[in-house]
Amino acid sequence: MDEKQLAKAMQLISFAGDSKSASIRAMKAAEDGDFDQAEEFLKQAHDSLHQAHNIQTAWMSAEMGGEEVEKSLLLIHSQDHFMAADIMMTVAEKQLNLQKEVKALQEKLD
């Protein structure tokens, strides 16, 4: 894998990792009832995932435009990180919504 492709893969892994970490922090904040903080972490997760998506899209566009992209374990690994981050963000959003519903129900019971 050439240096340019290596750099793209590492950037994609980094942004996806940042997104995944922010999603996990969002779920913890939601569990603790700090919904504002959870929303902020979800925003960070979304922003990082968007940057990862931009790298992925540019990479695919370049390949479709004729640029050679070496298929390697690192390329596959970077895509795995991207997909895991995307799924984790979706789970975190659902978790936040559920925690909000639980709190609203608890308030009705009190």
Side-chain angles (χ1 to χ4, degrees):
M1 178 174 268
D2 69 23
E3 291 294 318
K4 183 179 174 184
Q5 299 299 322
L6 176 65
K8 285 181 184 180
M10 296 308 294
Q11 284 179 321
L12 196 141
I13 290 168
S14 178
F15 284 126
D18 289 346
S19 177
K20 186 176 168 187
S21 294
S23 292
I24 292 168
R25 289 192 302 270
M27 286 188 282
K28 175 65 174 135
E31 288 172 1
D32 293 342
D34 190 347
F35 301 132
D36 290 338
Q37 184 66 59
E39 294 280 357
E40 180 58 34
F41 284 135
L42 278 175
K43 182 184 180 315
Q44 291 172 13
H46 184 268
D47 291 347
S48 292
L49 192 65
H50 182 72
Q51 289 178 299
H53 184 261
N54 287 343
I55 292 167
Q56 183 190 47
T57 301
W59 210 339
M60 289 188 298
S61 294
E63 184 176 31
M64 289 187 317
E67 185 177 317
E68 184 67 29
V69 175
E70 179 185 341
K71 308 311 183 269
S72 69
L73 287 176
L74 187 59
L75 172 65
I76 294 165
H77 184 65
S78 70
Q79 296 302 305
D80 286 345
H81 272 275
F82 178 77
M83 293 305 300
D86 186 41
I87 292 166
M88 187 64 71
M89 190 175 70
T90 300
V91 170
E93 290 168 344
K94 298 294 183 187
Q95 172 77 2
L96 175 57
N97 290 336
L98 288 172
Q99 291 294 336
K100 286 179 178 180
E101 287 180 27
V102 167
K103 182 178 181 183
L105 290 170
Q106 286 174 333
E107 288 173 355
K108 283 184 179 182
L109 293 174
D110 292 340

